[in-house]
Amino acid sequence: MIDAALPAHHIRPAHGWLNDPNGVCRIDGTWHVFFQYNPAEPRHGNIHWGHATSEDLVHWSEQPVALAPTPGGLDAVGCWSGSMTLDEGVPTACYTAVATTPAASVGLTARSDDGLRTFRAAAAASTGPWGAGSTAPWAAGNGKPVAGSPEPDHDGPAPETRDPFVVTVDGHRYVIEGFGQPGPDASGDRRHLAQVVVLDATDLSNWKPLGTLLRVDDPVAARVAPADIWECPNLVRVDGQWVLLVSLWRRDGGDSDLAGVAWLVGDLEIVDTVPRFIPRDGGTVDAGPAFYAPQVAQVGQRAVLWGWSWELGRDGAWLDEHGWSGVITTARELHLRDGRLVAEPVPELDAATGAALDPSWSALDHPWVRVRAQGPAVLRCSEVDGGLDHLELPAGAQVLIDGSLVEVFVDGVPATTRIYPTATSRWSLEGPGTVTELR
């Protein structure tokens, strides 16, 4: 039976759990997107790296699993988020390995000698919550961190470091990682929690801690990116300027709150051998309720982004019935416009344009479409499986629909949400505009 809610034309295995895109890159003319993946069930756990490839950024082919947990190893609990780089021409994954808990994670590398089909794990590049070649920076001895490590800001849960992202600055290779503590102090003070830390990665087998790239008490960061932990940092060049992306992890009572993704544009300075990011301005990467943990591929002058869209309002019974959770968004090209970061679907999507459709169409027969509003309009879905059933669109809005994945773009500002059609649902555009099938 066809599942009308399943996004069938995006990166999304037919079964299992999916979250963060990882290791996004273009090598030898092929685009690669790896992703957090639990093939066993539609819940977070037992995290592998799934793998998809494309020649055109639009049509994707699923590949065999690239990384899997090693029983009894440093990544026994999961191969968590990370990035891809070339090390003397060899594709090398740098990722967070979790043996027990996130607070005890380490940085691992894995190399591929066969064109990214299989990976061979290497030794730990960083051992401890932060810093290469160091054991537990907060532990033992006099209880002080190793040189260059950020100080814990309050008692409570152990600091956590994650999501290595490789960046080259003036020919020198660094790894940046998200850092923080999972909860404010007794006063609720978050000013000194989230940070992006930076390590020397000249030798990918031995990351050396250097210090802090940026912390949340910076005035611009405090305004646009308040968080307990900054996850999935990306430091990339967009239209010749440095842009930092951070995903905002906050403690909400006893639960975690994935509170969106911030961008900051600014200058990168080298101070006493340590890169420092000085932001000038910032904002929100995606205005929707179902977007997190993006990663950017820097290919020449292009900056191409993918994000994770989770399921909205779906309980365990729904997940078990459908057997899947999470999808990777449409590839988006980043630019700076009047000092702000904007994102649009990659232009390669235009080549996938098919036939024009009537303003009312079957969700099952036409699951992948593009809607353009030529004036104020309403996009509506009948007989939804609970949750949101319509969107109000301003003139000029562009909407991409694939199953339950709905991506809205208005003047370069994306908003990712979810609307869940059933086999009998019909979409309709109420107001001036066009609907075209994608293929």
Side-chain angles (χ1 to χ4, degrees):
M1 179 178 177
I2 298 176
D3 185 346
L6 177 67
H9 299 275
H10 284 69
I11 298 170
R12 160 69 267 165
H15 303 283
W17 167 276
L18 174 150
N19 60 295
D20 309 2
N22 299 147
V24 300
C25 58
R26 186 173 187 261
I27 295 178
D28 296 332
T30 298
W31 295 91
H32 298 261
V33 173
F34 301 85
F35 50 89
Q36 300 285 272
Y37 177 41
N38 181 357
E41 59 177 343
R43 289 172 175 77
H44 186 271
N46 188 36
I47 293 297
H48 298 55
W49 271 33
H51 182 197
T53 58
S54 175
E55 303 304 315
D56 62 3
L57 282 175
V58 178
H59 303 95
W60 294 89
S61 299
E62 187 176 354
Q63 303 298 328
V65 166
L67 297 173
T70 304
L74 292 172
D75 56 6
V77 168
C79 306
W80 286 17
S81 293
S83 59
M84 190 71 62
T85 190
L86 291 177
D87 187 36
E88 297 182 346
V90 179
T92 303
C94 302
Y95 66 101
T96 301
V98 182
T100 54
T101 67
S105 64
V106 301
L108 284 189
T109 61
R111 296 165 66 85
S112 176
D113 298 315
D114 59 2
L116 292 90
R117 289 187 292 273
T118 62
F119 286 81
R120 173 175 48 83
S126 90
T127 55
W130 190 82
S134 64
T135 57
W138 332 109
N142 58 12
K144 294 182 179 180
V146 297
S149 299
E151 292 278 357
D153 288 297
H154 57 70
D155 295 331
E160 296 182 13
T161 307
R162 58 188 63 149
D163 313 329
F165 183 85
V166 181
V167 59
T168 299
V169 182
D170 296 335
H172 194 93
R173 184 167 57 202
Y174 300 94
V175 164
I176 63 171
E177 294 185 295
F179 175 87
Q181 288 176 273
D185 62 16
S187 69
D189 187 0
R190 282 190 168 94
R191 289 178 302 168
H192 303 295
L193 301 180
Q195 303 175 41
V196 173
V197 297
V198 59
L199 305 98
D200 183 305
T202 303
D203 178 358
L204 272 185
S205 66
N206 183 24
W207 309 345
K208 298 177 180 178
L210 295 176
T212 301
L213 184 78
L214 180 68
R215 51 188 288 155
V216 76
D217 57 346
D218 172 272
V220 176
R223 173 171 57 85
V224 302
D228 298 326
I229 301 174
W230 280 342
E231 297 192 298
C232 302
N234 289 231
L235 181 63
V236 294
R237 298 281 282 180
V238 178
D239 295 339
Q241 299 189 56
W242 285 106
V243 173
L244 178 67
L245 308 183
V246 289
S247 295
L248 311 180
W249 190 104
R250 299 175 186 156
R251 175 69 71 186
D252 182 9
D255 299 323
S256 60
D257 176 22
L258 306 184
V261 183
W263 62 265
L264 301 107
V265 62
D267 299 313
L268 195 65
E269 297 181 355
I270 307 298
V271 179
D272 295 331
T273 74
V274 181
R276 307 284 191 191
F277 184 75
I278 300 94
R280 296 190 302 272
D281 201 0
T284 300
V285 172
D286 186 293
F291 178 90
Y292 197 72
Q295 191 169 103
V296 179
Q298 189 96 62
V299 179
Q301 299 302 308
R302 297 186 76 179
V304 181
L305 172 148
W306 293 262
W308 162 42
S309 181
W310 57 64
E311 307 311 316
L312 287 179
R314 307 295 99 177
D315 60 16
W318 190 95
L319 297 178
D320 289 338
E321 177 187 354
H322 289 257
W324 55 269
S325 177
V327 60
I328 301 297
T329 64
T330 300
R332 303 171 183 181
E333 189 144 345
L334 301 180
H335 288 285
L336 287 168
R337 183 187 302 162
D338 298 326
R340 66 185 180 95
L341 188 72
V342 298
E344 298 283 4
V346 291
E348 286 89 340
L349 188 65
D350 292 340
T353 300
L357 300 178
D358 291 335
S360 175
W361 67 97
S362 163
L364 194 63
D365 294 340
H366 305 287
W368 192 26
V369 303
R370 174 186 249 162
V371 176
R372 296 185 186 271
Q374 297 171 342
V378 175
L379 177 66
R380 193 179 306 276
C381 186
S382 69
E383 302 180 50
V384 297
D385 187 8
L388 188 67
D389 67 356
H390 74 282
L391 294 172
E392 296 184 6
L393 305 176
Q398 175 183 185
V399 186
L400 303 177
I401 303 170
D402 180 13
S404 56
L405 178 65
V406 180
E407 300 170 90
V408 183
F409 298 84
V410 180
D411 191 26
V413 178
T416 304
T417 190
R418 307 301 292 272
I419 295 178
Y420 293 90
T422 66
T424 57
S425 293
R426 294 192 68 82
W427 290 93
S428 60
L429 179 64
E430 302 167 4
T434 60
V435 181
T436 52
E437 191 162 32
L438 295 170
R439 61 188 182 187

